[in-house]
Amino acid sequence: MKLTLRVWRQRDADAPGAMSTYDVDGISADMSFLEMLDTLNEALILRGEDPVAFDHDCREGICGACSLVINGDAHGPERTTTCQLHMRSFRDGDTIDVEPWRAAAFPVVKDLVVDRSAFDRVIQSGGYISAPTGSAPEAHATPVPKADADSAFEHAECIGCGACVAACPNGSAMLFTSAKINHLNVLPQGSPERETRVLDMVAQMDAEGFGGCTLTGECATACPKGIPLPSITAMNREWLRARRKVKG
Ligand code: FES
């Protein structure tokens, strides 16, 4: 395949950015989107130009590092991570726009790389448990109802990629935050911090500058792990319950 790429280039956080146009040739339909960008970068390096900076780590849909807006969609046209998007989703001769996540709380570091440390701070504010859970053989010592275990597992699938924020017109992180809260709050091991967790994580989310939720649902549509929109409703219920319990 031969493609035209329009890629966001930005030297650093303070420099103005702009789209730059590149032609790439010899792209196989079996290549991943990141391998296609590798091909572009090899050509740029051979020409003595600065390669395009983009985030990646596992390239297996696990780590959440890859983060590109492709033709206006977070992670592109398929419901998956950018690293698991393959070039068979595009046609020979296509023009593809490639941009970084766009959100006030995710400032651009360089080109397609954004600073997502705001997510780390939200996690640090309450996304943990203090209860000793023992070693693996003791895992069944605390029975967990099947429905709760399934719910915790569903929410634990969030890889913190930030597609929910990038897709949301408000730059809201409520789907991400709700996944992290619901994962732990439904489990007995998470109950000692049940109230402080939701109050502190929501407060930190707000402090980081993420927008509010207006239930457009774009976040759940873009989420590569299928975190459902009602997760936000569950978090709001937890927050109201915690406020009542803590404030009286
Ligand atoms: S590089 Fe790890 S999820 Fe894409």
Side-chain angles (χ1 to χ4, degrees):
M1 280 194 283
K2 190 171 178 183
L3 302 163
T4 301
L5 301 177
R6 294 193 302 207
V7 183
W8 183 261
R9 302 301 311 260
Q10 185 171 337
R11 197 179 62 245
D12 55 46
D14 301 321
M19 300 296 268
S20 294
T21 303
Y22 304 99
D23 290 324
V24 284
D25 205 349
I27 301 300
S28 155
D30 295 326
M31 279 183 176
S32 73
F33 198 86
L34 298 187
E35 286 168 337
M36 183 275 293
L37 287 180
D38 291 339
T39 304
L40 168 66
N41 276 346
E42 281 169 15
L44 291 177
I45 290 167
L46 286 174
R47 296 206 297 258
E49 296 178 33
D50 192 25
V52 177
F54 61 91
D55 260 333
H56 60 97
D57 188 1
C58 70
R59 296 198 178 203
E60 293 181 345
I62 299 168
C63 72
C66 57
S67 48
L68 302 177
V69 173
I70 301 163
N71 286 342
D73 292 321
H75 289 309
E78 312 288 339
R79 192 172 185 180
T80 187
T81 53
T82 300
C83 62
Q84 294 300 296
L85 176 67
H86 286 80
M87 296 314 294
R88 65 183 76 98
S89 299
F90 302 90
R91 293 209 193 104
D92 184 37
D94 273 359
T95 297
I96 306 174
D97 290 343
V98 191
E99 299 171 83
W101 281 174
R102 300 281 188 199
F106 289 160
V108 172
V109 175
K110 181 179 179 181
D111 295 337
L112 304 173
V113 177
V114 300
D115 178 358
R116 282 174 291 176
S117 58
F119 269 11
D120 297 336
R121 292 186 289 275
V122 172
I123 294 275
Q124 285 163 4
S125 68
Y128 53 81
I129 62 168
S130 60
T133 53
S135 58
E138 298 166 301
H140 294 300
T142 306
V144 179
K146 176 79 165 77
D148 291 348
D150 286 348
S151 175
F153 188 79
E154 180 180 36
H155 290 108
E157 285 193 55
C158 169
I159 54 174
C161 64
C164 49
V165 176
C168 176
N170 309 324
S172 171
M174 288 188 82
L175 194 72
F176 162 79
T177 308
S178 67
K180 299 304 173 190
I181 289 169
N182 295 328
H183 164 207
L184 299 176
N185 272 24
V186 297
L187 295 173
Q189 294 89 340
S191 77
E193 294 89 15
R194 183 173 172 181
E195 289 80 24
T196 53
R197 176 178 301 114
V198 64
L199 294 176
D200 291 348
M201 290 181 78
V202 168
Q204 188 64 39
M205 176 188 76
D206 289 341
E208 295 292 345
F210 293 109
C213 174
T214 48
L215 284 178
T216 61
E218 292 287 330
C219 54
T221 304
C223 176
K225 298 300 172 184
I227 304 298
L229 196 58
S231 179
I232 293 175
T233 318
M235 177 180 72
N236 288 342
R237 223 171 17 239
E238 282 292 299
W239 189 87
L240 285 169
R241 177 189 167 281
R243 280 279 292 189
R244 269 201 307 271
K245 195 161 175 189
V246 170
K247 303 273 180 191

